[in-house]
Amino acid sequence: MLFRPIAMHAADMALLNRSWNSPMHSAVRSLALACSLLTIAVADSFAETADVIYHGGDVVTIDDRNPTAEAVAIKDGKIIAVGKKADVLKLKGENTKIIDLDGKTLLPGFVDGHGHCMYVGVQAASANLLAPPDHTVKDIADLQAELKKWAAGATAKKFQLILGFGYDDAQLKEQRHPTRHELDEVSQDLPVLIIHQSSHLAAMNTKALELAGITADTKNPPGGVIRREKDGKTPDGVLEETAFMMAAVKVLPKMGEAELDSLGVAGQRLYAANGYTFAQEGRSNAVLDKTWMRLAEGKKMLIDVASYPDLTFSDTPFGIDTPWYSKAMKNGYRIAGVKLSFDGSPQGKTAFLSQPYFIPPHGQQSNFRGYPTVPAEEVNRKVALCYEKGWQFLAHCNGDAAGDMMIGAVKDARAKLGKGKDRRDVMIHCQTVREDQLDAMQEYGLFPSMFGMHCFYWGDWHRDSVLGAERAERISPARSALRRGMIFSQHHDAPVALPSAIRILASVVTRRTRSGDILGAGQCIDVNAALKSLTLWAAYQHYEEANRGSIEVGKLADFVVLDKNPHRVPISELEDLKVLETIKEGKAIYNAR
């Protein structure tokens, strides 16, 4: 049998069946049934000639009615047959290309539950400050060396800025952020800006602080903090949340269309190299969306991108009143809804919790719980606006107190305006979501997009510093959602982490941390559920289940080829799976071989 269930999760098969058979997903089941019937019809008539036929390896369809197949045929970028090799080969014509998978595994292309595709391009263009296993920065001396090396390159000289991305105080030997003085050792002439791996904090040298206009007299902005030196006044270089965002606007260089376009292309390429055929721009602005529009109009989109303009600080975000706001892709791009942000980062200790942090961050009291990005009354008003306009919204909620704000706002909006038609509003991250909150999310139809990859990257930090052992066991509680019959997506939040579906898969199945600890075995899910959260369920989140997420007749020929079948390897080896090829609408867009 191709699918090998994991013994410790045997009960999850029943949970998965209940989740996919719930009333919420009747529309998805109907579409799947129609696709199944169409498969039979095509197989019977053989009225078409395929452009390409894949065979010779495992085909994992993510279709419960036909979970495996021997061959797949495509024509004009869409799937026209899935099934037995002998049947599918009847669609072979004189010009049909036959591709032998040579024992490799074909799956549907991965669908991004939440990420920031353009900023992945920024990450690729910056000094790499990531810790092992993604790079080599282990302490502040390593960080300084990486920045000095990057400063000698053409990009730093062109833009007169030293820019780094991905440092993590939780992984540095010193267990703290670099100070402005340590960044002054890199350069006193050029501004130095390094962005925390969470993208919710940053550190600057003295020159950058000057350019940003931040002095001892500068007050903390709403929803942000300027960290201070021992005198309680002088900025130490570390900026949280809105303080970082407002300063970055003044320090980062103004780029032209060519530079912005190159970032968009670079982001897509890194997504494609990790098997993604659908990406998200999870908090966009006018500059980003104009870039995506330009790339789409110029037919320079490598993969599909759905954008969510930021509604947090404007009621009329750019692009929402244009034809690009649509449920249909146009040349690989569309604006799909809006983004709201209600709190910060748990690993950065800015997320809004209902209970205090296990160890409070620098300068805070023992009862510190983080803080909201916007006040509750503004959360209520923004969510009501989304209901009035019919906009789908994504709400960033890492802390459970932020989750309470979102759920309360939805409850109020539904009471005043009705529940709306087919709303699929999304709680992004769900890091510390409680059991009672999952009950409320199920009642109100809120879709969880979970950041289960955190178990690997920050599980030890959550256990020892952020939440303590008891609360850390329940971060990203995917199995609790399954028990309720809920479906969900899993995401990487790139560039917070590399856009690796393989790392997500390994993390949510094993919940193994960097140190090798298992963080909350009771929240592990099996391979089948994990793959669905990266494909079909993520497609449902985006109203895309009719187009992608499974290998079924009528859907786009978006595939990823892995070196091995995830169902056939020990779960301890899932992290070693390799993306060999990514195929978008029948055309290879990435090939590792």
Side-chain angles (χ1 to χ4, degrees):
M1 183 170 68
L2 183 59
F3 173 62
R4 177 179 56 79
I6 300 168
M8 68 179 288
H9 299 144
D12 280 344
M13 291 305 295
L15 293 171
L16 287 170
N17 289 334
R18 288 204 302 274
S19 68
W20 202 236
N21 290 325
S22 65
M24 178 180 179
H25 309 116
S26 59
V28 184
R29 295 200 314 273
S30 297
L31 283 166
L33 178 59
C35 289
S36 296
L37 294 173
L38 184 56
T39 304
I40 297 169
V42 171
D44 287 342
S45 65
F46 304 115
E48 297 186 84
T49 299
D51 294 332
V52 182
I53 293 175
Y54 290 89
H55 74 95
D58 290 347
V59 178
V60 179
T61 66
I62 316 294
D63 172 14
D64 285 343
R65 282 146 295 278
N66 301 288
T68 63
E70 294 179 354
V72 180
I74 65 175
K75 184 177 180 65
D76 297 329
K78 291 190 175 183
I79 301 166
I80 62 170
V82 183
K84 296 286 187 182
K85 177 181 175 181
D87 292 335
V88 174
L89 283 176
K90 293 177 182 177
L91 298 177
K92 179 179 179 296
E94 184 177 341
N95 297 315
T96 301
K97 185 176 182 180
I98 306 296
I99 297 180
D100 188 345
L101 293 168
D102 192 26
K104 307 304 187 290
T105 297
L106 187 75
L107 296 96
F110 297 126
V111 178
D112 188 13
H114 179 64
H116 307 269
C117 190
M118 185 76 69
Y119 289 111
V120 170
V122 175
Q123 180 186 36
S126 307
N128 187 348
L129 305 181
L130 293 170
D134 298 325
H135 197 48
T136 59
V137 174
K138 298 179 182 178
D139 54 30
I140 291 174
D142 288 344
L143 180 147
Q144 291 171 320
E146 286 288 334
L147 291 171
K148 289 176 181 177
K149 181 171 65 176
W150 192 85
T155 304
K157 294 176 182 177
K158 177 180 179 179
F159 292 108
Q160 290 295 289
L161 170 71
I162 300 172
L163 179 65
F165 187 92
Y167 87 91
D168 183 5
D169 55 310
Q171 303 306 320
L172 294 175
K173 180 181 178 181
E174 294 84 356
Q175 292 279 285
R176 61 172 176 82
H177 297 266
T179 67
R180 67 182 177 94
H181 301 292
E182 288 163 330
L183 296 181
D184 285 345
E185 294 176 24
V186 175
S187 177
Q188 295 185 27
D189 300 321
L190 292 179
V192 179
L193 167 61
I194 61 172
I195 301 172
H196 190 265
Q197 192 174 357
S198 69
S199 297
H200 285 263
L201 303 93
M204 293 182 174
N205 71 343
T206 303
K207 183 70 173 180
L209 289 171
E210 290 174 359
L211 289 176
I214 295 175
T215 69
D217 297 325
T218 306
K219 295 181 179 180
N220 290 339
V225 172
I226 300 168
R227 294 193 183 182
R228 315 282 174 167
E229 294 182 354
K230 289 183 178 180
D231 63 7
K233 296 180 180 180
T234 307
D236 71 359
V238 179
L239 307 175
E240 299 178 5
E241 302 297 339
T242 55
F244 151 50
M245 297 170 195
M246 294 166 68
V249 171
K250 298 178 181 179
V251 175
L252 289 171
K254 301 296 186 288
M255 289 185 285
E257 292 184 357
E259 289 89 358
L260 290 166
D261 289 356
S262 69
L263 293 178
V265 171
Q268 291 181 79
R269 284 177 176 162
L270 189 52
Y271 264 83
N274 283 278
Y276 282 92
T277 53
F278 181 99
Q280 189 185 98
E281 190 61 67
R283 186 182 184 181
S284 65
N285 56 35
V287 172
L288 300 189
D289 282 313
K290 285 179 181 178
T291 303
W292 288 123
M293 291 173 186
R294 194 165 52 248
L295 289 172
E297 287 170 344
K299 297 185 178 180
K300 296 179 181 179
M301 297 296 291
L302 190 65
I303 61 178
D304 291 330
V305 174
S307 178
Y308 290 81
D310 187 6
L311 187 68
T312 307
F313 303 109
S314 170
D315 287 354
T316 56
F318 175 81
I320 198 71
D321 58 352
T322 71
W324 292 102
Y325 171 56
S326 172
K327 287 188 177 178
M329 287 286 172
K330 179 182 177 183
N331 294 343
Y333 165 75
R334 67 183 175 94
I335 292 176
V338 295
K339 173 70 178 296
L340 291 163
S341 296
F342 296 157
D343 73 339
S345 155
Q347 70 268 38
K349 299 187 179 180
T350 60
F352 187 31
L353 303 175
S354 63
Q355 300 296 320
Y357 280 91
F358 188 62
I359 298 175
H362 173 74
Q364 298 293 345
Q365 300 298 314
S366 60
N367 63 349
F368 179 72
R369 300 188 294 117
Y371 48 86
T373 305
V374 292
E377 56 270 22
E378 186 68 356
V379 170
N380 293 341
R381 191 181 70 80
K382 293 287 187 177
V383 169
L385 179 63
C386 293
Y387 269 72
E388 290 172 5
K389 299 290 188 180
W391 298 333
Q392 182 195 30
F393 68 90
L394 316 180
H396 171 114
C397 299
N398 264 314
D400 60 329
D404 284 335
M405 295 170 68
M406 177 186 180
I407 292 167
V410 168
K411 181 180 179 180
D412 288 349
R414 286 165 62 100
K416 296 174 183 176
L417 302 166
K419 67 178 183 179
K421 184 180 180 181
D422 192 20
R423 293 202 64 91
R424 302 183 192 180
D425 302 312
V426 184
M427 183 183 288
I428 297 293
H429 303 321
C430 307
Q431 289 275 52
T432 55
V433 67
R434 305 186 305 266
E435 296 288 324
D436 64 296
Q437 289 179 318
L438 287 173
D439 290 337
M441 291 174 70
Q442 185 175 36
E443 179 182 354
Y444 299 140
L446 298 178
F447 188 96
S449 184
M450 296 191 178
F451 202 170
M453 187 191 270
H454 250 254
C455 291
F456 174 76
Y457 281 107
W458 293 285
D460 298 316
W461 180 244
H462 287 322
R463 181 196 62 225
D464 299 337
S465 184
V466 178
L467 298 170
E470 183 177 351
R471 281 185 291 170
E473 291 277 307
R474 283 198 69 264
I475 63 169
S476 301
R479 199 169 181 210
S480 287
L482 283 179
R483 291 190 187 103
R484 288 166 169 79
M486 300 172 74
I487 65 171
F488 48 83
S489 64
Q490 292 279 0
H491 62 257
H492 43 65
D493 200 19
V496 172
L498 294 173
S500 172
I502 301 305
R503 175 60 68 189
I504 297 173
L505 175 66
S507 296
V508 301
V509 171
T510 69
R511 291 180 67 97
R512 188 177 299 278
T513 72
R514 291 186 202 241
S515 70
D517 186 23
I518 302 299
L519 189 70
Q523 292 297 339
C524 293
I525 60 176
D526 67 16
V527 171
N528 192 41
L531 289 174
K532 285 182 176 179
S533 74
L534 294 166
T535 53
L536 186 58
W537 294 350
Y540 177 87
Q541 170 189 325
H542 292 92
Y543 295 89
E544 288 277 352
E545 70 273 12
N547 303 319
R548 67 189 82 233
S550 59
I551 299 178
E552 299 181 64
V553 168
K555 293 192 176 186
L556 296 173
D558 289 1
F559 308 131
V560 58
V561 179
L562 302 183
D563 62 336
K564 297 176 183 177
N565 187 334
H567 291 302
R568 293 185 182 273
V569 301
I571 61 173
S572 60
E573 297 178 12
L574 288 171
E575 65 182 8
D576 299 322
L577 291 170
K578 299 290 189 297
V579 172
L580 300 180
E581 188 173 7
T582 306
I583 298 147
K584 182 76 182 79
E585 295 179 37
K587 297 180 180 178
I589 58 173
Y590 169 78
N591 198 317
R593 291 172 289 185

